[in-house]
């Protein structure tokens, strides 16, 4: 999809759909009023009739017989200054209708939003449009996507055009990255396996000069002593892969990027059956989404390549399939991680932390400024936070704050969870240095505690996206979260 910013005269702008708002008293913004005038006050009459619902975010499409805009999409806003959350509602609601037309121009930047400028508005409008237009068609025999191909955002005046354009570019990159993550997430486990993910990374590196990729196979992992990672893949016929994608946009001296990278680590369990501690059958299909952390790392890489910011980012993807078999790990097995710490596997369904702990140890090799892992790690996180917030843990309060703020700005929110020492003892084992599960309580916290034992040498955060990475039910599908949060954070650095 093509996104752009423009100071647009609505009475002349050709468009399949012009998006304008009416407040609670049916008052139009300035472009809306101009269009109303140019169309013989048709819009005003329709509003007076009461055809547009009164609830914020209600929409009504008017098909115009004449004029440069073929349709007007009316959205109900409110009087005065809108909250950011309300503006996002308008952005979403209008995008959900506009996705059905071949192009659209949004004039919602004329609204006033608390603590936000038109660049922020543009970013949110574009992100919402990009997300709304996405459709998973790859496995359909009739692969028809949404028609929306061009989305234009009105810049209220020429002074703001440059800033609005930047907002558009960032929103477009966040949408692209999110949709890359959604596509990988939605692909079934029989297509998207660790080998598939490795091939994706190699293809990406071939296309872009600023990206290099390396893939470690099981032999290489064994030589590095990654006994925890490999124990997860043992039960599967699919070989595991530890994928490293190195984006180098940072300052370079003699061709070598010198700034310390941010390392992102994604959990890439391409299917999580639970292993010998097998899961119940209900909704087990959704465990194809257990690589959404990895998918978000791919999404961020795509978004970075789009924007080419002057930073260095390493994306590590811990890819494996968790299956039961005669070769699979058994409860009680003890493995030695790359760090040297031994782990008693009391539950083979707590596999994410096993692939992640060795990947976190491996991450130190890149001398990172910061490490952030992203994982669909615990069902307990879904119980605690539902699907609205990502669970955020960090061994550094400053980093936690920055990530929370990044999520707030782009509407991809996280919630700070405790990583207190008091929780650590639940991982004590009688037979090894630690065990891979805590008790029944605080399951998301104890999983984070487990990871923290392997992230002691750098500043680190962990995002538990078990609730936020995908929707269940009628809207089943990957959300692309937390790509917007991560991009917002990386660009804000
Ligand atoms: N991938 C799951 C976590 C999960 C479950 C995410 C349901 C979203 C929905 C993870 O590998 C897992 O199975 N975790 C266990 C941990 C337990 C055995 C300590 C869980 O949450 O039940
Ligand atoms: Mn599991
Ligand atoms: Zn899992």
């Amino acid at each position: 999809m093509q996104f752009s910013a423009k100071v647009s005269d609505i009475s002349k702008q050709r468009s399949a759909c012009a998006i304008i708002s009416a407040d609670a008293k049916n008052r139009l913004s300035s472009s809306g009023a101009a269009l109303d005038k140019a169309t013989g006050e048709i819009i005003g009459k329709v509003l007076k009739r009461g055809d547009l619902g009164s609830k914020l975010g209600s929409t009504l499409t008017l098909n115009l017989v004449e004029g440069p805009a073929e349709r007007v999409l009316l959205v109900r806003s409110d009087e005065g200054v809108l909250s950011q959350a309300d503006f996002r509602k308008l952005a979403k609601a209008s995008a959900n209708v506009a996705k059905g037309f071949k192009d659209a121009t949004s004039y919602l930047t004329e609204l006033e939003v608390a603590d936000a400028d038109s660049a922020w508005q543009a970013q949110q409008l574009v992100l919402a449009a990009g997300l709304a237009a996405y459709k998973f068609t790859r496995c359909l025999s009739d692969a028809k996507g949404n028609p929306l191909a061009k989305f234009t955002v009105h810049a209220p005046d020429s002074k703001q055009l440059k800033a609005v354009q930047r907002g558009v570019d960032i929103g477009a990159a966040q949408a692209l990255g999110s949709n890359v993550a959604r596509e990988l997430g939605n692909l079934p486990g029989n297509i998207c396996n660790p080998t598939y993910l490795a091939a994706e990374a190699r293809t990406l590196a071939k296309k872009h000069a600023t990206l290099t990729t390396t893939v470690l196979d099981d032999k290489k992992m064994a030589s590095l002593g990654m006994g925890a990672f490999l124990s997860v893949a043992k039960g599967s016929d699919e070989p595991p892969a530890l994928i490293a994608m190195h984006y180098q946009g940072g300052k370079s001296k003699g061709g070598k990027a010198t700034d310390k990278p941010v390392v992102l680590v994604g959990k890439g369990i391409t299917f999580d059956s639970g292993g010998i501690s097998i899961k119940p059958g209900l909704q087990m299909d959704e465990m194809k989404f257990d690589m959404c952390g990895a998918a978000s790392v791919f999404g961020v890489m795509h978004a970075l390549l789009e924007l080419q910011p002057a930073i260095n980012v390493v994306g590590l993807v811990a890819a494996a399939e968790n299956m039961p078999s005669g070769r699979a790990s058994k409860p009680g097995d003890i493995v030695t991680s790359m760090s040297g710490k031994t782990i008693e596997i009391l539950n083979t369904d707590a596999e994410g932390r096993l692939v992640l702990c060795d990947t976190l140890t491996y991450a130190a090799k890149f001398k990172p400024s910061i490490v952030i892992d992203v994982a669909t790690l615990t069902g307990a996180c879904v119980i605690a936070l539902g699907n609205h917030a990502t669970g955020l843990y960090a061994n550094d309060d400053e980093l936690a704050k920055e990530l929370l703020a990044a999520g707030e700005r782009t509407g991809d929110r996280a919630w700070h969870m405790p990583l207190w020492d008091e929780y650590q003892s639940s991982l004590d084992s009688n037979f090894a240095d630690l065990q891979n599960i805590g008790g029944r309580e605080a399951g998301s916290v104890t999983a984070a505690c487990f990871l923290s034992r392997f992230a002691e040498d750098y500043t680190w955060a962990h995002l538990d996206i078990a609730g936020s990475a995908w929707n269940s039910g009628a809207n089943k599908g990957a959300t692309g979260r937390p790509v917007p949060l991560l991009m917002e954070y990386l660009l804000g650095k």
Side-chain angles (χ1 to χ4, degrees), residues 37-53:
K37 219 170 145 198
T39 53
E41 282 161 23
I42 264 189
I43 302 167
K45 282 174 204 156
V46 169
L47 281 171
K48 222 180 209 164
R49 232 189 256 154
D51 287 4
L52 176 64

Side-chain angles (χ1 to χ4, degrees), residues 43-246:
I43 302 167
K45 282 174 204 156
V46 169
L47 281 171
K48 222 180 209 164
R49 232 189 256 154
D51 287 4
L52 176 64
S54 59
K55 227 176 113 198
L56 188 125
S58 297
T59 59
L60 178 69
T61 311
L62 309 182
N63 294 289
L64 301 180
V65 182
E66 273 173 61
E70 291 169 21
R71 298 169 194 85
V72 180
L73 171 52
L74 280 168
V75 193
R76 179 68 74 191
S77 72
D78 208 345
E79 291 169 72
V81 180
L82 289 176
S83 69
Q84 297 192 356
D86 278 350
F87 184 79
R88 269 190 209 104
K89 273 188 206 158
L90 303 191
K92 251 194 191 170
S94 55
N96 266 325
V97 181
K99 71 180 180 193
F101 308 124
K102 70 181 196 313
D103 68 78
T105 308
S106 180
Y107 296 87
L108 298 186
T109 39
E110 288 177 342
L111 287 163
E112 256 194 272
V113 181
D115 303 317
D117 54 15
S118 49
W120 178 89
Q121 294 180 5
Q123 185 182 322
Q124 293 298 310
L125 291 170
V126 165
L127 176 58
L131 290 174
Y134 169 82
K135 196 171 160 189
F136 183 77
T137 59
R138 168 94 180 256
C139 299
L140 303 178
S141 50
D142 180 15
K144 229 174 106 201
N146 284 308
L148 188 64
K150 191 167 178 283
F151 189 80
T152 308
V153 177
H154 169 62
D157 59 59
S158 55
K159 272 197 299 237
Q160 295 180 61
L161 182 58
K162 219 176 137 199
V164 169
Q165 181 64 58
R166 177 74 182 154
V168 166
D169 292 344
I170 294 174
Q174 290 188 1
L176 169 87
S178 301
N179 290 340
V180 164
R182 291 163 86 187
E183 185 72 6
L184 287 172
N186 289 335
L187 280 172
N190 63 327
I191 296 176
C192 183
N193 55 34
T195 307
Y196 182 93
L197 289 176
E200 282 288 298
R202 289 200 183 96
T203 309
L204 198 60
K206 267 195 203 128
K207 280 195 206 146
H208 298 275
T210 46
L211 191 87
T212 50
T213 290
T214 50
V215 179
L216 309 189
D217 63 8
D218 44 3
K219 284 199 199 76
K220 183 75 187 151
M221 284 190 253
S223 75
L224 289 169
M226 295 185 168
F229 193 137
L230 289 171
S231 75
V232 174
K234 265 181 17 173
S236 170
D237 288 349
E238 296 294 344
L242 174 46
I243 304 160
M245 292 172 277
H246 206 151

